[in-house]
Amino acid sequence: MKKASAVLLGGLATAAPVAASLTVFLDPLQRKAAAGGFVKVASVEALPDDGMPRKFSIIADRVDAWNKVPNVPIGAVYLRKSAPDQVEALNVVCPHAGCFVDFSKERKLFGCPCHNSSFALNGSVSDPKSPSPRGLDSLDVEIRNSSEVWVRFQNFVAGHGEKIPVS
Ligand code: FES
């Protein structure tokens, strides 16, 4: 019994530092390049005047502790003109479990193909039976030089009722 306890305690004493160093070592792999930064996405003229959304890729540099890969897709957003001089951005990732949502122009709804969550044009949950715990994640938008749409691209943790940024 004494020997078994010593082996167990020894194993625990070894496992904790190994787990901690692995977490530190692998952390850069989990960082997103453009998290929190504004990215030029489109021109205002590229958006329909009828308020319907259009999907755009987010192209930015992907950087981690070891590599920098310039100009690669790191995500996607739906942009729409909510007023003549106002643009809204929604992350395409479903907050339930991370699938990409589609948009139906006929139904004027976003729909998730994985578990049938549906979202209104403004991103709010449309069908109360939707499993998504929150609406689609809105993103900050700036119109620069009168016509450029810049988006502060960010992913958020899936499965939570609140928007928790993925670092
Ligand atoms: S991932 Fe969208 S409803 Fe489950």
Side-chain angles (χ1 to χ4, degrees), residues 94 96-99 112 114-115 117 131:
C94 178
H96 178 227
C99 295
C112 181
C114 292
H115 314 101
S117 284

Side-chain angles (χ1 to χ4, degrees), residues 93-101 111-119 130-132 158:
V93 174
C94 178
H96 178 227
C99 295
F100 277 23
V101 298
C112 181
C114 292
H115 314 101
N116 294 325
S117 284
S118 63
F119 307 91
S130 296
S132 181

Side-chain angles (χ1 to χ4, degrees), residues 7-94:
V7 168
L8 179 65
L9 289 174
L12 286 173
T14 306
V18 168
S21 38
L22 267 179
T23 302
V24 170
F25 181 72
L26 295 175
D27 176 62
L29 294 174
Q30 299 174 15
R31 292 186 191 153
K32 297 282 185 226
F38 274 91
V39 179
K40 184 179 168 187
V41 179
S43 67
V44 175
E45 293 77 35
L47 304 179
D49 288 325
D50 61 2
M52 292 297 107
R54 191 172 157 206
K55 191 160 126 183
F56 293 90
S57 294
I58 298 291
I59 307 293
D61 296 346
R62 186 187 301 275
V63 182
D64 63 31
W66 305 294
N67 301 298
K68 177 178 179 180
V69 184
N71 299 322
V72 292
I74 60 165
V77 294
Y78 281 104
L79 298 181
R80 76 178 193 100
K81 271 188 200 168
S82 51
D85 58 350
Q86 196 172 337
V87 174
E88 291 179 353
L90 298 170
N91 197 319
V92 302
V93 174
C94 178

